[in-house]
Amino acid sequence: MEYRHALVRRPSPRMGEGLVTHIERSDDVDPDLAVRQWESYVEAFHRAGWTTDEVEPADELPDSVFVEDTMVVYGDLAVISRPGAAERRGETVAAEAAVAAHGYRIAHIEAPGTLDGGDVLKFGGRVWVGTGGRTNADGVAQLRALLAPLGAQVVGVPVRTVLHLKTAVTALPEGTVVGHRPLVDDPDVWAGHFLEVPEESGAHVVLLDGTTVLMAASAPRSAELFRSRGLDVVTVDISEFEKMEGCVTCLSVRLRSRPGSA
């Protein structure tokens, strides 16, 4: 059976104090609503047949709910990130413990390299890494060296208009890369495999299985576009996280390979 496990982390009551870079800070983040939305997000995984594990909460770290930024998982290897924002580097300790408990080998991005997991898009043996914001060239080089023995091709992609690469683009189950054109610096990176979506949050999908995507409720036209392509679409309201530049991808780490399995 396919291994379908996700690491998640409960939002901090201080989430509204987190970092924002490309949007105006909202003064009305509702921490109680954020918890309810997070619980609905987790439940969407459960309904799709996934198991979830909670990384130890970190109330003192406002951005800790965005657990995807703490690592890059490829095959049986978990590369623990070194976040580009120094304020977020404490988030990786408990996340590393959680993924190690699943039996993954552990490696680390070391100084002076920086890398956020949200800058990494993986599909079909290729790994695109956004550079220019939270992730630097040294971080990309270290990731390339760590993933090369696993056969991955790592490609750097400049990111200037959004926080992370996966704020701009993600991939559908068959490999088409989707993005909201005003926020994609260079769609020619995926020439012939790029699909423009009508809403910013329509660019963010989590693959639940080979025909099902999870996405934000704030992109109904994009959802209809995906349905017209034969996909099943699950939507969740993540409005409080969107106020902090969050999206459906950054709220979990998806584990799809069981370490040590054939």
Side-chain angles (χ1 to χ4, degrees):
M1 180 179 294
E2 182 185 3
Y3 195 62
R4 293 195 290 180
H5 209 106
L7 304 180
V8 294
R9 197 171 204 173
R10 189 169 293 273
S12 164
R14 295 174 53 194
M15 190 179 80
E17 301 173 29
L19 303 174
V20 293
T21 57
H22 292 277
I23 64 174
E24 293 294 326
R25 177 177 298 280
S26 173
D27 61 0
D28 65 344
V29 173
D30 183 334
D32 295 326
L33 178 56
V35 170
R36 294 195 298 273
Q37 291 180 345
W38 178 84
E39 290 173 343
S40 295
Y41 174 87
V42 171
E43 180 57 29
F45 277 88
H46 295 167
R47 289 196 305 269
W50 287 66
T51 301
T52 59
D53 271 357
E54 286 194 38
V55 176
E56 183 179 353
D59 288 354
E60 74 282 9
L61 299 172
D63 288 305
S64 56
V65 68
F66 303 121
V67 67
E68 182 184 50
D69 288 325
T70 63
M71 69 184 75
V72 176
V73 177
Y74 196 95
D76 68 342
L77 179 67
V79 180
I80 306 304
S81 70
R82 183 170 182 266
E87 300 95 320
R88 298 195 61 191
R89 291 178 187 160
E91 297 173 24
T92 64
V93 177
E96 177 178 344
V99 75
H102 283 267
Y104 283 83
R105 295 186 296 121
I106 301 295
H108 297 87
I109 299 297
E110 305 287 354
T114 62
L115 183 140
D116 278 15
D119 271 321
V120 180
L121 174 62
K122 304 169 290 182
F123 196 90
R126 184 164 290 190
V127 179
W128 295 278
V129 187
T131 62
R134 299 284 178 86
T135 296
N136 66 18
D138 192 273
V140 176
Q142 290 184 44
L143 186 67
R144 180 178 292 114
L146 290 166
L147 299 189
L150 299 176
Q153 179 185 0
V154 174
V155 180
V157 181
V159 172
R160 295 179 293 273
T161 58
V162 292
L163 176 60
H164 290 128
L165 177 63
K166 287 170 72 175
T167 312
V169 295
T170 55
L172 298 180
E174 91 290 351
T176 297
V177 172
V178 296
H180 184 52
R181 182 61 186 86
L183 300 180
V184 181
D185 290 302
D186 185 8
D188 289 340
V189 170
W190 303 279
H193 302 279
F194 179 80
L195 175 66
E196 183 175 351
V197 297
E199 297 130 322
E200 178 179 349
S201 59
H204 315 140
V205 299
V206 170
L207 307 187
L208 293 177
D209 60 38
T211 60
T212 308
V213 297
L214 173 68
M215 61 183 296
S218 56
R221 289 180 294 154
S222 300
E224 284 307 308
L225 175 62
F226 298 152
R227 290 187 180 104
S228 75
R229 294 171 66 91
L231 292 171
D232 295 321
V233 178
V234 176
T235 61
V236 289
D237 183 0
I238 57 165
S239 61
E240 300 312 291
F241 304 98
E242 289 171 331
K243 293 174 183 177
M244 302 304 299
E245 290 182 294
C247 63
V248 289
T249 64
C250 56
L251 293 172
S252 59
V253 176
R254 282 74 61 193
L255 307 178
R256 303 177 190 273
S257 301
R258 185 188 300 273
S261 63

